[in-house]
Amino acid sequence: MTRSMRAVVVEKPGPASNLQLRDVPIPEPTDDQVLIRVRAFGLNRSELHFRSGVASTGSFPRIPGIEATGVVEAAPGGQFMPGAQVMTMMGGMGRVFDGGYAEYVVVPASQVIEFRSSLPWVQLGAVPEMLQTADGSLRVGLEA
């Protein structure tokens, strides 16, 4: 029997009303992937661009979301222990393959970062892209 999860799905580009909450199968990870139980995710302007159809990459239908934080549900390749706190972002997430607007997400193990924090999940959900943006801004600003 296939287990299901709730996820936001967008079938085609357009307004926010195109976002639909659905029951979909929980994805199955391969040896080089990690299944993450999503506890929180950020909302980003790039997701608005994708949903609206003005992004330069991505395909539909898709579960959007370019970042997520949560706990490892399964890592068949042994890269992470179940229950570990992790975050992930970008690398095609929410554009080329399904993203974080779901109860579970499967991502390449190479783009998973383990961490330990006692911050609430609602705050941790914004950390991946926020840090990526700050890091990128500093690099560009300091290298200019």
Side-chain angles (χ1 to χ4, degrees):
M1 184 169 103
T2 303
R3 299 183 318 148
S4 66
M5 65 176 182
R6 291 179 303 160
V8 173
V9 178
V10 60
E11 288 285 333
K12 61 184 179 182
S17 59
N18 282 12
L19 298 169
Q20 301 175 355
L21 185 60
R22 294 190 185 163
D23 286 326
V24 299
I26 295 175
E28 293 288 331
T30 61
D31 283 348
D32 61 343
Q33 297 176 321
V34 177
L35 175 64
I36 299 170
R37 180 174 164 241
V38 176
R39 298 295 306 266
F41 57 84
L43 300 174
N44 300 284
R45 187 166 182 79
S46 70
E47 292 152 353
L48 169 66
H49 290 168
F50 171 72
R51 191 233 334 128
S52 300
V54 298
S56 60
T57 62
S59 62
F60 296 90
R62 180 71 54 220
I63 297 171
I66 64 169
E67 68 178 322
T69 58
V71 295
V72 172
E73 184 78 11
Q79 303 91 332
F80 300 93
M81 294 296 296
Q85 284 182 308
V86 293
M87 59 180 60
T88 185
M89 66 182 161
M90 301 174 56
M93 191 174 163
R95 299 271 177 95
V96 178
F97 58 90
D98 288 335
Y101 288 20
E103 291 182 295
Y104 295 89
V105 64
V106 165
V107 297
S110 61
Q111 72 183 58
V112 176
I113 300 166
E114 187 171 353
F115 68 96
R116 289 186 184 187
S117 177
S118 59
L119 287 173
W121 288 109
V122 68
Q123 291 175 349
L124 290 170
V127 168
E129 271 299 299
M130 182 173 48
L131 292 179
Q132 173 69 19
T133 300
D135 178 72
S137 295
L138 286 171
R139 288 177 193 272
V140 169
L142 294 174
E143 291 175 4

